[in-house]
Amino acid sequence: MKNRSFSDKWNKVRRLLVIRMDNIGDMVMLGPALQAIRENLPGAEISMLASPSGSQVMPLLPSVAETIEWRASWQDISKDPTVDPGREWSLVEKLRGRRFDAAIIFTSFTQSPYPPAYVTYLAGIPIRLGHSREFGGSLLSDWFKPPADTCHQVERNLFLLEQAGFRVSSREMKLKVSAADQAVVDALLSRSGVPFDEPYILLVPGASCASRRYDPHRFVSVIRSLSKKTRLPIVIAGSSKESSLLIPILQTPAKRHPGRVVSLLGQTSVPQFAAMVKRAALVVANNSSALHMADALRRPMVILYSGTELISQWRPRFTPAQLLRRETNCSPCYNFTCPFGTECLDIPASEVVDACLNLLAKTDLDRLPTGPTEITLPQSAGKGLRTR
């Protein structure tokens, strides 16, 4: 069926390339846009150009038929990047060989669509859709200006599609956890002493950058208090690269944890991590992919939300949530590391525990309340606000 709200050139698209070169959470938030593309172009084969990190999410987003994994030079933040023009040409040739009819380029508010647009231009892809405030000549055949930077990233993605004439039937994030991945996680939890029918608190201490991470020593206090007050198992999860964050937690003598503390760090794939989120009674995490997965899977959460980003850009929208942070004048800084001791996350463990208990008290595991709640904590006494 043709979509008469956009031009015939889109109705003729049979091979579509979607580009989003970001991390796990960004790919989760791309889900509603991918679903809208599938509904508007039901006969098209959709391929995804994604980063090595982002490509791990694709099994949870069934709208995509093929994933092309690539480490893009325009996303390289290393201090000493390698200059390799031949490698860039190999990407052009890889895309040229697939004979795509169109490319849709999704970016965050800090990114330019023009580097990937140039790659798709050289690859001979005739339709190249993206949005930017800056003029880029003919690199984008379909160029639209983006919404305000404060816009939520899910809405930013959908805004681009709607400007091009795509109909959007749903703005909700959804993830499809396979029965196989759920079975792996259920077995893993059971072997660790958390049987299938027992609720647990999932604690995720990691984040993609240091400036978003709550003090792991304070997480020790959170775990100890939650174990004592709820008697629920505490399951710790994340990537193996985050093992150093767990040292203060795992080295705490077991006798000081009244309940069970189970570490499954580095033992699951990204789809299996989503299965773990899906079973959790409560998710406690930083501003990370766990936030977006919990939102998509409708699990209640307490989030240590640093001042690196605006809340409006990344907040949970569909599930009960309490966001904890300190207000500082340097927010949003968008820094990977903080020069001020991460004062935006200077939150006593007792306040984190209170937020968890408050949310658990309102939560029925079968019937969750709706609507996130933001909690902004007052500035600590005796500490002045920092400026950049």
Side-chain angles (χ1 to χ4, degrees):
M1 177 183 293
K2 289 186 176 182
N3 180 349
R4 299 187 183 280
S5 64
F6 53 44
S7 65
D8 271 348
K9 66 181 182 181
W10 284 106
N11 287 313
K12 295 176 182 177
V13 169
R14 292 296 174 264
R15 295 181 62 81
L16 173 67
L17 178 66
V18 177
I19 301 176
R20 183 75 202 233
M21 308 297 292
D22 282 295
N23 290 323
I24 292 171
D26 302 292
M27 301 305 288
V28 172
M29 289 187 288
L30 189 62
L34 291 174
Q35 181 59 33
I37 292 171
R38 166 54 61 218
E39 292 173 355
N40 284 264
L41 302 175
E45 179 181 296
I46 303 173
S47 298
M48 185 83 215
L49 180 62
S51 69
S53 174
S55 64
Q56 300 175 74
V57 181
M58 301 320 296
L60 297 165
L61 302 171
S63 298
V64 175
E66 173 198 25
T67 301
I68 303 170
E69 183 180 308
W70 192 262
R71 193 177 301 277
S73 59
W74 60 88
Q75 294 288 88
D76 190 351
I77 59 172
S78 61
K79 294 181 179 179
D80 188 21
T82 301
V83 178
D84 187 357
R87 181 177 177 276
E88 306 307 316
W89 276 112
S90 69
L91 176 59
V92 171
E93 294 303 323
K94 180 188 289 284
L95 299 182
R96 187 194 304 275
R98 282 172 166 73
R99 300 184 180 277
F100 290 110
D101 302 309
I104 301 178
I105 303 168
F106 291 102
T107 53
S108 76
F109 69 101
T110 61
Q111 297 168 346
S112 168
Y114 292 120
Y118 192 43
V119 168
T120 56
Y121 168 82
L122 293 174
I125 302 176
I127 304 174
R128 302 172 302 279
L129 170 64
H131 53 201
S132 173
R133 289 190 175 86
E134 294 78 26
F135 174 66
S138 60
L139 292 183
L140 289 174
S141 64
D142 294 56
W143 168 44
F144 297 99
K145 292 194 174 182
D149 288 352
T150 55
C151 179
H152 194 280
Q153 296 306 289
V154 169
E155 293 300 322
R156 178 184 172 88
N157 296 333
L158 295 176
F159 185 82
L160 174 62
L161 295 180
E162 288 176 323
Q163 285 179 302
F166 286 71
R167 294 187 296 261
V168 176
S169 63
S170 174
R171 315 186 90 82
E172 296 187 13
M173 293 191 299
K174 297 178 182 179
L175 296 176
K176 186 173 182 177
V177 176
S178 72
D181 284 326
Q182 192 68 63
V184 169
V185 167
D186 291 345
L188 186 60
L189 287 167
S190 181
R191 289 196 300 269
S192 301
V194 184
F196 175 80
D197 58 350
E198 184 175 14
Y200 57 85
I201 296 171
L202 182 65
L203 189 142
V204 188
S208 59
C209 57
S211 55
R212 296 184 193 171
R213 297 176 194 141
Y214 186 58
D215 182 356
H217 295 275
R218 282 181 164 176
F219 263 138
V220 172
S221 298
V222 170
I223 291 172
R224 186 163 58 244
S225 184
L226 283 177
S227 296
K228 181 178 180 180
K229 294 182 178 181
T230 69
R231 296 293 172 173
L232 292 174
I234 310 293
V235 178
I236 304 169
S239 72
S240 57
K241 293 186 296 184
E242 296 164 345
S243 58
S244 61
L245 301 177
L246 286 189
I247 292 174
I249 298 172
L250 299 181
Q251 288 184 345
T252 301
K255 64 182 181 181
R256 295 180 63 187
H257 293 312
R260 283 162 290 163
V261 179
V262 175
S263 172
L264 299 181
L265 197 75
Q267 298 186 46
T268 59
S269 64
V270 169
Q272 290 163 1
F273 176 76
M276 197 175 300
V277 171
K278 184 179 179 180
R279 269 201 54 198
L282 177 69
V283 176
V284 183
N286 300 305
N287 178 12
S288 65
S289 61
L291 180 163
H292 307 297
M293 286 189 178
D295 198 24
L297 295 166
R298 307 300 188 268
R299 306 317 296 167
M301 69 184 93
V302 171
I303 301 297
L304 286 302
Y305 197 104
S306 75
T308 55
E309 278 83 26
L310 295 174
I311 287 177
S312 64
Q313 295 168 321
W314 313 99
R315 67 178 178 86
R317 302 184 300 160
F318 300 110
T319 196
Q322 295 196 354
L323 309 186
L324 307 180
R325 70 185 291 177
R326 297 289 191 204
E327 289 295 347
T328 58
N329 283 347
C330 52
S331 176
C333 67
Y334 304 110
N335 287 336
F336 293 155
T337 58
C338 175
F340 302 132
T342 324
E343 292 184 1
C344 54
L345 289 178
D346 184 16
I347 302 167
S350 61
E351 297 191 41
V352 180
V353 172
D354 287 345
C356 292
L357 296 176
N358 177 58
L359 202 49
L360 283 171
K362 297 177 181 179
T363 299
D364 184 325
L365 298 184
D366 298 316
R367 297 178 61 190
L368 293 175
T370 58
T373 300
E374 174 193 337
I375 294 181
T376 301
L377 299 177
Q379 178 70 18
S380 298
K383 287 190 176 182
L385 296 178
R386 296 286 192 180
T387 59
R388 293 181 66 181

